[in-house]
Amino acid sequence: MIALDHLRHVDATPARLARESYRAGEIAPTSGVAPGFTQANMIVLPRDWAFDFLLYAQRNPKACPVLDVSDPGSHATHLAPGADLRRDLPLYRIWRDGKLAEETPDATKAWAEHPDLVSFLIGCSFTFETPMLDAGIEIRHITDKSNVPMYLTNRPCRPAGRLHGNMVVSMRPIPASRVADAATISGRFPAVHGAPVHVGAPEEIGIHDLGKPEFGDPVRIEPGEIPVFWACGVTPQAAVMASGVPFAITHAPGHMFITDIPDTAYHA
Amino acid sequence: MIALDHLRHVDATPARLARESYRAGEIAPTSGVAPGFTQANMIVLPRDWAFDFLLYAQRNPKACPVLDVSDPGSHATHLAPGADLRRDLPLYRIWRDGKLAEETPDATKAWAEHPDLVSFLIGCSFTFETPMLDAGIEIRHITDKSNVPMYLTNRPCRPAGRLHGNMVVSMRPIPASRVADAATISGRFPAVHGAPVHVGAPEEIGIHDLGKPEFGDPVRIEPGEIPVFWACGVTPQAAVMASGVPFAITHAPGHMFITDIPDTAYHA
């Protein structure tokens, strides 16, 4: 990975314009927006929970690769100077006592409830979809213009303090002849989930019906295609639910934070 | 990187025997001991400082790649079941108010001063020396049976909470024709400092006399060799000093913790 300070000269206008449109009120999924700029999952927690979460992420790096952590009380990030994490995502989820309480395009009001919130930005597998497409590997949910399917597995993450929960995975159907290529290409991007965690045999990880993802949309699986599973940045939301976290703000699935950082920066 | 749970079948007897000899009182540097098993830097801090440090590590991943974090009050690690972090390193340093207070082969007494210590194990560049040797690249401090030279640079790390300090680097002289190979090979191991942070031009990072390292021993530099600098796991000790941390336990430079994890597990 390239040190971020070396990337200050990159023209990030497309990323900035996208954030400005969300700040102005536009609500839309971010897949395909500002191509080439890294998108991130977000979870925001009170300072009292921040060590537990950072440790949870350290112990579960495939699911929770941390790209940046804000200072307590700040809504700024190193990954996009000038951005406001309270308003620059298209859609937020507010969680109370482990339950989804609200979806909102502006988290400013909820953010004001706690003076010491810490924001975690977590790598997103959208980052390696572009090089997979460049290698001639079809990404079905892009072809079909749907959200990627995501499943809650039976695989527990390593707990940390008060946090526990199972891993969430995203799934892409890949032709059997290209599975190795998909693993190799995504494996070059460890900061955005890296190589698959599971290939085929969905029942082994507790997925009994690929047509019913817990998050996102189901996708077509053609004959000769294998379901390939990557660790997913919605895993923190599963931990919020399983652990009954008193208060959290997250992105809404598919509605990511768009950073100023080129995807290539996360090439290992 | 391979999930550690897949490595449970590896026979780690050489690592365990080394730890047992240190526990029994042997004091010696660990370079070349239990070859093939990952060695780690250690810093142990009270729970109150743990979030600041974990954030410091997250923000400075080249210098502080975290391999494992213990639960508060525990002296166990996921990387070596059965090990006792208070006694299984050959030599410890006890720090008080940012100053080195003591070197001791057994940290049990100091450890008992705080009920909630958190231990951080951090990757060590010894891990990529073996594949560099395998590629025919001489490692001078191994040839000359000395400790690797380490220098405090003028490059500030990104601060986190109360922690700040400059990066420490290790230096290996590499023939000009092999510098690219050394960068490529070490770059495959991002969890143990990865690729060099600086090649040649030591004065640019505030090193004015290669013959006077702040830690370790100076080494011969032959004509046609370039000094190549890697981020170093002694960086946390520089932060302890610069930040006046009230209490910390660390390894003594060169006297690392030997884990049960094969070096190959950290190949990206």
Side-chain angles (χ1 to χ4, degrees), chain B:
Chain B
M1 172 180 169
I2 296 166
L4 299 185
D5 290 340
H6 298 322
L7 297 167
R8 290 285 167 245
H9 67 282
V10 172
D11 178 7
T13 301
R16 187 173 48 75
L17 291 176
R19 293 194 302 268
E20 285 176 1
S21 75
Y22 303 135
R23 192 185 293 198
E26 187 188 348
I27 302 176
T30 53
S31 180
V33 177
F37 289 93
T38 297
Q39 301 194 11
N41 303 273
M42 187 174 78
I43 178 167
V44 182
L45 293 164
R47 169 71 175 81
D48 173 51
W49 284 79
F51 178 66
D52 283 6
F53 183 74
L54 193 51
L55 190 53
Y56 194 73
Q58 193 278 328
R59 290 180 175 175
N60 301 284
K62 294 273 292 194
C64 308
V66 176
L67 303 184
D68 194 33
V69 183
S70 71
D71 289 313
S74 165
H75 37 79
T77 169
H78 200 56
L79 303 183
D84 182 340
L85 293 173
R86 301 170 301 179
R87 300 188 288 157
D88 286 359
L89 283 71
L91 195 60
Y92 298 83
R93 288 185 158 183
I94 316 295
W95 302 80
R96 299 185 192 278
D97 296 322
K99 293 190 173 56
L100 177 61
E102 186 190 351
E103 279 200 342
T104 172
D106 185 339
T108 305
K109 202 171 142 213
W111 209 290
E113 293 178 33
H114 292 267
D116 62 354
L117 292 177
V118 178
S119 305
F120 300 85
L121 295 172
I122 291 167
C124 172
S125 56
F126 291 173
T127 300
F128 58 63
E129 289 181 341
T130 307
M132 281 169 59
L133 287 166
D134 289 345
I137 299 171
E138 182 196 347
I139 305 292
R140 183 62 39 75
H141 64 269
I142 294 182
T143 305
D144 288 2
K145 298 185 171 42
S146 59
N147 203 349
V148 64
M150 294 164 271
Y151 305 86
L152 183 63
T153 71
N154 63 7
R155 296 299 157 107
C157 290
R158 264 185 83 192
R162 294 157 289 180
L163 286 174
H164 58 92
N166 288 359
M167 183 186 286
V168 175
V169 294
S170 62
M171 188 279 285
R172 292 161 185 82
I174 305 286
S177 63
R178 306 304 308 274
V179 169
D181 294 335
T184 302
I185 294 169
S186 57
R188 289 181 198 135
F189 293 86
V192 293
H193 304 302
V197 290
H198 203 75
V199 177
E203 63 283 359
E204 289 288 313
I205 52 173
I207 301 173
H208 300 292
D209 186 348
L210 287 171
K212 293 182 180 164
E214 273 80 14
F215 311 90
D217 306 318
V219 293
R220 284 182 294 127
I221 304 184
E222 300 293 341
E225 291 181 343
I226 308 296
V228 179
F229 302 94
W230 280 265
C232 176
V234 173
T235 300
Q237 299 185 32
V240 165
M241 287 186 266
S243 313
V245 173
F247 181 85
I249 301 171
T250 69
H251 72 290
H255 297 69
M256 319 302 284
F257 177 68
I258 300 178
T259 76
D260 284 358
I261 309 298
D263 287 344
T264 49
Y266 294 108
H267 196 297

